[in-house]
Amino acid sequence: MHLHRIRVVRDALDANETIARENRADFDHAGVTVINLMSAPGAGKTTLLERTLAELNAMSAPPRVAVIEGDVQGSIDASRIAEYHVPVVQINTDAGYGGECHLDANMVRSALSSLPLDDIDLLIIENVGNLVCPAEFRIGEDRRVMITAVTEGEDKPLKYPLMFRACDLVLINKIDLLPYLDVDVDVIRRNIESVHPGVPIMAMSTRSGAGLGPWCKWLVNVTRRTTVSA
Amino acid sequence: MHLHRIRVVRDALDANETIARENRADFDHAGVTVINLMSAPGAGKTTLLERTLAELNAMSAPPRVAVIEGDVQGSIDASRIAEYHVPVVQINTDAGYGGECHLDANMVRSALSSLPLDDIDLLIIENVGNLVCPAEFRIGEDRRVMITAVTEGEDKPLKYPLMFRACDLVLINKIDLLPYLDVDVDVIRRNIESVHPGVPIMAMSTRSGAGLGPWCKWLVNVTRRTTVSA
């Protein structure tokens, strides 16, 4: 039973890798940079997207952005993002047996025909809120970014190391709440560093706007770099 | 591929149900009430346990408690609970391929021989932090309790309805932070009610201690009731 299960899981991950590479080839062909945005439920992914779209819109020559929203159920997030007049596609993962806890490459692939790939520079994919499985499924992304909120406590990097290791950038969100918590942001930084040495870390508050500038600059930089090399 | 996958998943869930019933029979035989405690990462499960154990210890005839800690990796939580001098077993789910995002009945079964079932009244099992998959896997529990933290926002019941529907009690935690958030606790209550009409809801703060009394009373009540009927 156990070996059989491991084989099934490995086959599923292999099949996912194949489709992820196809997605990646299509993104490269269209010159689109893709960000896979992950976090626990309620860490602030959608609010970060809203603030980011507003910030980018205020730039002189902003990248053209589209968004894929991944949720088990509902289209609350897609409705929020649509307010910013960017192309947005909602993927619901509850079509599977019981509801999937992550996006996989095939779900993203099914959304591609609804997106104007040739007319965008940057695709941000908001994954299902979960600190475990999304880290195991590539979806064709260039960069993986995760958010950890200070309200989640200091120990999350030690308890969910795979997610922290899988990411190219870790955002520490909700720092405006630090005065009201028994949490030391330096301990969070040290714990991230202990499981993923050298990973870039940015502290921010999507509520106050603190730290949004460096994040948007990072985003524009990775978009330009990929576009140039494509 | 898709049908095959659904069949594999259904077989796994069926096998899990069988083992969950065996666990339940063993718990009933020993007169132990079992709580499956679930939430997103960082909602406050372990802190709730710490505060609960302290509160129960201060009672005149407290139930005898043991704890199972479920985490992908590490034993931080078990170490925290051990401070309260109750039997505690840590289950790490990373033995599977890539790390499981939930406890299943077999993992719990493997921990039973390490617990003095005949000498306890109440077993609290802290599940892996995740709002999706733990709701799909019975582990032999009598009651399922979930925590949603106000810091996670108002929309979680609508986005992760299965978890909210699966529970017998919903705890709304971190209400001490409400003055610093753009969150209305009445909206959270209405959203919970909309996906699980009539489910008991308790607001609390594991930090300030608000609401701990009703929760501990609920816990003692379900423990006594099950013990009497066993």
Side-chain angles (χ1 to χ4, degrees), chain A residues 148 152-161 164 183 187-188 191, chain B residues 41-42 46 71 73 76-77 80:
Chain A
T148 185
E152 295 166 5
E154 299 164 344
D155 60 0
K156 294 305 159 291
L158 307 178
K159 291 168 76 173
Y160 303 89
F164 285 82
V183 164
V187 174
I188 299 178
N191 286 341
Chain B
T46 314
D71 282 298
Q73 200 169 309
I76 299 170
D77 290 351
R80 283 171 63 182

Side-chain angles (χ1 to χ4, degrees), chain B residues 16 18 20 41 53 59 69 93 98 114 135-136 140 153 159 161 167 173 185 209:
Chain B
N16 185 73
T18 303
L53 292 171
M59 289 180 175
E69 285 292 340
T93 65
S114 309
E136 297 177 47
K159 293 168 75 174
C167 283
N173 193 20
V185 76

Side-chain angles (χ1 to χ4, degrees), chain B residues 49-65 122 124 215-217 219-220 223:
Chain B
L49 275 179
E50 290 177 315
R51 298 300 299 258
T52 301
L53 292 171
E55 197 90 357
L56 294 179
N57 277 343
M59 289 180 175
S60 56
R64 297 163 300 169
V65 185
L122 176 63
I124 307 180
W215 150 249
C216 288
K217 194 176 166 195
L219 204 52
V220 168
T223 303

Side-chain angles (χ1 to χ4, degrees), chain A residues 63-137:
Chain A
R64 297 163 301 170
V65 185
V67 172
I68 292 178
E69 285 291 341
D71 282 299
V72 176
Q73 200 167 310
S75 57
I76 298 171
D77 290 350
S79 302
R80 283 171 64 182
I81 297 304
E83 298 283 320
Y84 292 82
H85 306 292
V86 298
V88 56
V89 177
Q90 177 81 51
I91 298 177
N92 281 144
T93 64
D94 66 355
Y97 192 87
E100 293 288 347
C101 60
H102 58 272
L103 290 178
D104 65 28
N106 201 40
M107 297 177 199
V108 169
R109 190 144 195 83
S110 71
L112 295 192
S113 62
S114 308
L115 286 170
L117 286 187
D118 289 332
D119 300 325
I120 61 172
D121 307 304
L122 177 64
L123 173 63
I124 306 180
I125 303 178
E126 182 182 334
N127 219 309
V128 178
N130 182 344
L131 280 188
V132 187
C133 302
E136 297 177 48
F137 288 82

Side-chain angles (χ1 to χ4, degrees), chain A residues 5 10 13 42 71 73 77 97-101 129 133 136 151-152 156 159-161 174 180 182 207, chain B residues 5 10 13 42 71 73 77 97-101 129 133 136 151-152 156 159-161 174 180 182 207:
Chain A
R5 198 184 150 282
R10 192 175 293 142
L13 287 175
D71 282 299
Q73 200 167 310
D77 290 350
Y97 192 87
E100 293 288 347
C101 60
C133 302
E136 297 177 48
T151 46
E152 295 166 5
K156 294 305 159 291
K159 291 168 76 173
Y160 303 89
K174 308 197 186 184
Y180 317 111
D182 307 311
R207 189 163 180 254
Chain B
R5 200 186 147 281
R10 191 175 295 141
L13 287 174
D71 282 298
Q73 200 169 309
D77 290 351
Y97 192 86
E100 292 289 348
C101 59
C133 302
E136 297 177 47
T151 45
E152 295 165 5
K156 294 305 158 289
K159 293 168 75 174
Y160 304 89
K174 308 197 186 185
Y180 318 111
D182 308 311
R207 189 163 181 255

Side-chain angles (χ1 to χ4, degrees), chain B residues 62-98:
Chain B
R64 297 163 300 169
V65 185
V67 173
I68 293 178
E69 285 292 340
D71 282 298
V72 176
Q73 200 169 309
S75 57
I76 299 170
D77 290 351
S79 303
R80 283 171 63 182
I81 296 304
E83 298 283 320
Y84 292 82
H85 307 291
V86 299
V88 56
V89 177
Q90 176 81 52
I91 298 177
N92 281 145
T93 65
D94 66 354
Y97 192 86

